[in-house]
Amino acid sequence: MQFTNSIQAFEAAQKVIPGGVDSPVRAFGGVGGTPPFIKEAKGAFMTDIDGNTYIDFVQSWGPLILGHASEVIETAVIEAVKKGLSFGAPTEVETQLASLICGLFPAIDKVRFVSSGTEAVMSAIRLARGFTGRSDIIKFEGCYHGHSDALLVKAGSGLMTFGNPSSPGVPEGTTKHTLLARYNDLESVKACFEASSGVACVIIEPIAGNMGFVPATAAFLEGLRTLCDEYGAVLIFDEVMSGFRASLKGAQGIVNTRPDMVTFGKVIGGGMPVGAFGARAEIMAMLSPEGPVYQAGTLSGNPIAMSAGLASLKEIISKEAQLYPHLEALAVRLTQGLEAAAKAQGISLQVGHRGSMFGFFFNEAPVANFDEALRSDTKRFAAFHRGMLERGVYFACSQFEAGFICEPMNEAMIDSVIAYAHEVMKTL
Ligand code: KE4
């Protein structure tokens, strides 16, 4: 493969866009080399501006469960565009998508749309603080919930940690109410509750995809539910990534724990900018204009984005019975094939999946939290990523991300990826 045009495009982009990208992970910092600039995509495949074609396991970081350029979504968007792009006024398509989401999630009576997962989480945190009248929040090391200030924290000194800013530009004041606990470690959560003068909410990715793929145990999630009930804190499941991916109902379709609030993104926009947050009516009644907690957005509920999301959700709901078994079977085939390819070379690969979401760590032991994820061999991951990219396989460009299966994929495609993996593992 040659990347001449992407190299030139990357140089040009870096002159006018920081790092040449509009979201840092896309710059391939985690794996090195030049990121392919994409020209077009269809189904399971993307083609870059050098004419290289890849089977795509990133799918825009999750949204494209129906694959690229889905006709169902395309038709809906084209129809919607003809009626105008945006009104800044209510439309019925927002109600239709909201009704669909509320019908799927027992924890949710009402939902508010925004334009990104970050906005959804930021608004959910504010609503939880407004509802409880408390300021502290508990998040988990390794979980990513978008780039709002209060959530850009890293572990501070000492065992029990109030967050310290993980980015310049985030004042100490905005993270002093953020407490950090360890994923899958209930004692660390209890310690946070005991150290706090009042916890507004606990926010978690119930199936983490931002430290690599790390699912929370059902017992741990149930333990969070018990602690939140005991302390009167709001339990927020951030299902921006796992929603509609791990199952039609995300983690909530797999574990019995019921959150108080849920955040969404990605799949509910079908590839267009949509985020959402929902909760029972009592909590949502606190939100402006009904209640005092302010939240707003010029393009929130944008009719084009809503039309894409509605088409996406209607399609996956209509074919749930065959779609999710299909996606999961391919996730199993792929992860077991990668594990076997690594084992054949004496390499330890930790693999996991939930529904259409999967991951793999170049790690000697199973990974249950961020500290363990950090022990992964990122150099080996980068070499594997490069070798597979050269063979037309597009995995997430960081050891600390997840991968996805989409509907147009089939066994033959997965088997060819596994064959390539056997070749590349030999070179590691
Ligand atoms: P956005 O603001 O990027 O739409 O959503 C933020 C977000 C919130 N919650 C979870 C669980 C998420 O995974 C995300 C965003 N996911 C990353 C993938 N690691 C988006 C990719 C990127 O940052 O470019």
Side-chain angles (χ1 to χ4, degrees):
M1 277 190 177
Q2 56 85 23
F3 299 94
T4 312
N5 294 337
S6 281
I7 290 166
Q8 287 168 359
F10 196 36
E11 282 164 10
Q14 290 174 84
K15 292 190 175 75
V16 289
I17 301 173
V21 291
D22 285 313
S23 200
V25 71
R26 301 176 194 171
F28 269 38
V31 292
T34 298
F37 275 57
I38 302 305
K39 179 185 174 201
E40 59 193 341
K42 181 67 180 169
F45 297 93
M46 287 197 298
T47 302
D48 69 18
I49 59 175
D50 288 287
N52 303 313
T53 296
Y54 310 90
I55 183 169
D56 176 20
F57 290 103
V58 176
Q59 295 154 35
S60 183
W61 302 99
L64 307 175
I65 193 167
L66 298 174
H68 290 280
S70 147
E71 285 86 1
V72 166
I73 296 174
E74 185 183 304
T75 303
V77 167
I78 290 169
E79 277 314 299
V81 162
K82 289 174 185 167
K83 298 172 189 163
L85 291 176
S86 183
F87 313 115
T91 62
E92 289 180 296
V93 67
E94 295 161 76
T95 309
Q96 289 159 16
L97 186 53
S99 304
L100 215 48
I101 293 169
C102 294
L104 282 173
F105 295 89
I108 297 177
D109 295 326
K110 293 190 177 181
V111 68
R112 169 67 57 87
F113 293 111
V114 291
S115 300
S116 71
T118 292
E119 238 191 304
V121 170
M122 178 180 73
S123 309
I125 298 274
R126 183 180 311 132
L127 180 55
R129 284 172 160 162
F131 177 69
T132 59
R134 301 173 183 172
S135 301
D136 286 357
I137 63 176
I138 297 172
K139 78 174 290 286
F140 295 86
E141 288 169 357
C143 284
Y144 174 70
H145 303 287
H147 63 91
S148 59
D149 281 358
L151 292 161
L152 290 183
V153 295
K154 64 180 187 295
S157 58
L159 187 64
M160 220 306 301
T161 53
F162 277 85
N164 294 338
S166 62
S167 164
V170 177
E172 293 284 338
T174 50
T175 59
K176 70 175 188 319
H177 290 293
T178 307
L179 290 85
L180 276 169
R182 275 161 64 90
Y183 203 76
N184 283 319
D185 174 352
L186 215 46
E187 287 309 308
S188 74
V189 184
K190 286 176 187 166
C192 287
F193 272 109
E194 285 154 15
S196 167
S197 54
V199 175
C201 61
V202 175
I203 182 164
I204 189 167
E205 290 179 62
I207 301 168
N210 289 289
M211 58 174 119
F213 177 85
V214 184
T217 66
F220 177 66
L221 293 174
E222 198 48 34
L224 293 184
R225 177 71 275 165
T226 304
L227 283 170
C228 285
D229 291 343
E230 187 183 331
Y231 284 89
V234 172
L235 178 57
I236 303 176
F237 276 8
D238 179 354
E239 298 230 45
V240 166
M241 185 186 288
S242 54
F244 312 97
R245 275 287 182 180
S247 81
L248 178 60
K249 299 179 183 177
Q252 296 163 74
I254 297 172
V255 298
N256 294 323
T257 301
R258 179 177 293 195
D260 298 303
M261 290 177 79
V262 189
T263 52
F264 301 100
K266 299 180 192 278
V267 169
I268 65 165
M272 297 285 282
V274 178
F277 58 105
R280 62 181 183 272
E282 176 196 15
I283 296 175
M284 297 304 277
M286 288 293 291
L287 201 59
S288 177
E290 268 187 58
V293 178
Y294 194 69
Q295 182 276 331
T298 303
L299 294 176
S300 295
N302 171 270
I304 312 305
M306 294 288 102
S307 301
L310 187 61
S312 177
L313 278 208
K314 276 182 172 175
E315 183 71 5
I316 65 177
I317 291 169
S318 72
K319 52 175 59 169
E320 178 192 7
Q322 70 271 22
L323 176 62
Y324 284 91
H326 164 69
L327 297 170
E328 173 138 37
L330 293 182
V332 169
R333 195 179 187 97
L334 175 68
T335 49
Q336 290 182 350
L338 293 176
E339 188 179 25
K343 192 174 180 185
Q345 304 306 318
I347 295 171
S348 173
L349 195 74
Q350 307 297 328
V351 301
H353 82 283
R354 288 288 185 281
S356 67
M357 199 176 153
F358 68 87
F360 49 88
F361 287 102
F362 283 89
N363 200 308
E364 295 304 317
V367 176
N369 61 49
F370 191 42
D371 291 337
E372 293 169 4
L374 289 175
R375 294 191 200 119
S376 302
D377 185 339
T378 52
K379 285 190 175 53
R380 193 166 242 181
F381 174 89
F384 178 71
H385 182 274
R386 172 53 56 184
M388 296 301 278
L389 189 76
E390 297 272 355
R391 289 166 175 79
V393 180
Y394 194 88
F395 281 129
C397 50
S398 164
Q399 168 65 98
F400 306 111
E401 292 287 355
F404 306 95
I405 302 289
C406 65
E407 183 188 20
M409 291 180 175
N410 60 41
E411 288 185 355
M413 295 176 195
I414 299 299
D415 291 349
S416 65
V417 170
I418 293 166
Y420 288 140
H422 277 276
E423 288 177 22
V424 176
M425 289 290 183
K426 286 191 183 109
T427 69
L428 299 186

